[in-house]
Amino acid sequence: ITIHKDVDSDGNGQVDETNVTDWTWDIDGQGDFATGDSGQGVAAGSYTVSEDQKAGFHVTSVVCNNGQSYSPSERIDVSVEPGENLICAFTNTRDTGSITIIKNIDNNGDGDTTDEGDVQGATDWTWDITNGDQNIATGQTKTLPTGTYTISEDQKNSYILLGWTCSNEQSGTTNSIEINVTNGSQITCTFTNQLVPPVLSLTKTNNKLGIDVSAGADVLYTLTVILTGSALTNVFVTDLPPAGFKYRSG
């Protein structure tokens, strides 16, 4: 009896390692034989062949050269005829779960995302998996091997992060989520961002104290405009000279 091992190491449905030799198998519960091309001699008869499962994997197919059909299982019963060289291949697939990131936007700054002009389920933002895929569009689902992952959003200018909540009852306000993906889990996290209202401040100063100004003298005024928050366009500033002054070109 010879046992081959094929592995789908990332759980995407495609075998990416064939006939690996670092797994073991047993005959009637004994042996710990290495998978690969080295067979084990047996007398003709019936046997239970089983693999020694590794954490984080499950059997997705068992195929033998004896023409019999087997359901995916760590253990199968086989019959060996005199002179027969029975070869079976177990395929193991990585356990996976999924993460979906949803983006909601509060565009009027009132703290919720249900008003006209707000956006729920925006798809023009992106998110990242630390040491993994980057710039994933919001709304998309990523299937991942089981394990712990750190998720963050790619923030945009003029917006702040209000917070996030996940379907696994996690929540927070920092731009980092540590998520434990278990086999078959489907975790959805919603990031909520708020547009920072634009605020313009204007100051006006001059280069004279008053006591040193006489009729006809020049006074230089400086206007300083500072914008905080989100961007503004088509802003015009008009200076209104104080009483007794007129604008002098240049």
Side-chain angles (χ1 to χ4, degrees):
I1 301 175
T2 302
I3 300 298
H4 290 172
K5 171 65 65 180
D6 297 332
V7 180
D8 172 7
S9 60
D10 56 11
N12 68 353
Q14 302 294 322
V15 170
D16 38 38
E17 297 179 72
T18 59
N19 200 18
V20 298
T21 58
D22 57 346
W23 291 58
T24 58
W25 60 284
D26 302 317
I27 298 175
D28 292 338
Q30 303 292 323
D32 288 336
F33 309 117
T35 54
D37 292 326
S38 297
Q40 298 297 317
V42 296
S46 296
Y47 299 92
T48 297
V49 174
S50 59
E51 70 166 10
D52 298 319
Q53 185 61 269
K54 289 186 178 183
F57 289 85
H58 60 281
V59 180
T60 49
S61 75
V62 181
V63 178
C64 298
N65 65 349
N66 59 2
Q68 295 189 35
S69 177
Y70 297 95
S71 299
S73 175
E74 299 174 17
R75 184 183 306 271
I76 61 172
D77 294 323
V78 299
S79 295
V80 179
E81 301 297 328
E84 181 182 10
N85 181 20
L86 179 66
I87 302 174
C88 296
F90 285 74
T91 298
N92 288 68
T93 298
R94 190 71 164 81
D95 294 341
T96 61
S98 68
I99 298 175
T100 304
I101 300 299
I102 304 298
K103 170 67 65 179
N104 292 339
I105 303 172
D106 171 19
N107 274 323
N108 64 6
D110 67 351
D112 65 54
T113 59
T114 59
D115 301 317
E116 183 178 357
D118 292 342
V119 181
Q120 292 189 340
T123 58
D124 58 343
W125 291 58
T126 57
W127 57 284
D128 304 321
I129 302 173
T130 301
N131 299 321
D133 291 349
Q134 306 289 299
N135 300 320
I136 308 161
T138 49
Q140 286 192 2
T141 298
K142 294 296 294 185
T143 298
L144 301 165
T146 54
T148 301
Y149 297 87
T150 300
I151 305 301
S152 59
E153 71 166 8
D154 297 318
Q155 294 182 311
K156 290 187 177 183
N157 292 334
S158 303
Y159 288 87
I160 59 173
L161 174 65
L162 292 182
W164 49 265
T165 59
C166 297
S167 58
N168 62 357
E169 300 184 355
Q170 289 181 257
S171 62
T173 57
T174 61
N175 186 20
S176 179
I177 312 175
E178 188 173 280
I179 299 176
N180 182 31
V181 175
T182 59
N183 188 32
S185 62
Q186 298 176 326
I187 300 171
T188 298
C189 296
T190 300
F191 282 81
T192 300
N193 291 70
Q194 184 181 77
L195 179 67
V196 180
V199 176
L200 278 176
S201 62
L202 174 64
T203 58
K204 183 176 182 178
T205 59
N206 63 63
N207 65 341
K208 301 292 184 179
L209 297 177
I211 59 175
D212 58 348
V213 177
S214 59
D218 290 338
V219 178
L220 176 64
Y221 281 90
T222 301
L223 301 179
T224 303
V225 180
I226 298 176
L227 170 65
T228 59
S230 56
L232 282 176
T233 58
N234 299 320
V235 175
F236 299 91
V237 176
T238 301
D239 181 31
L240 300 177
F245 285 79
K246 65 179 181 180
Y247 176 72
R248 179 175 294 177
S249 178

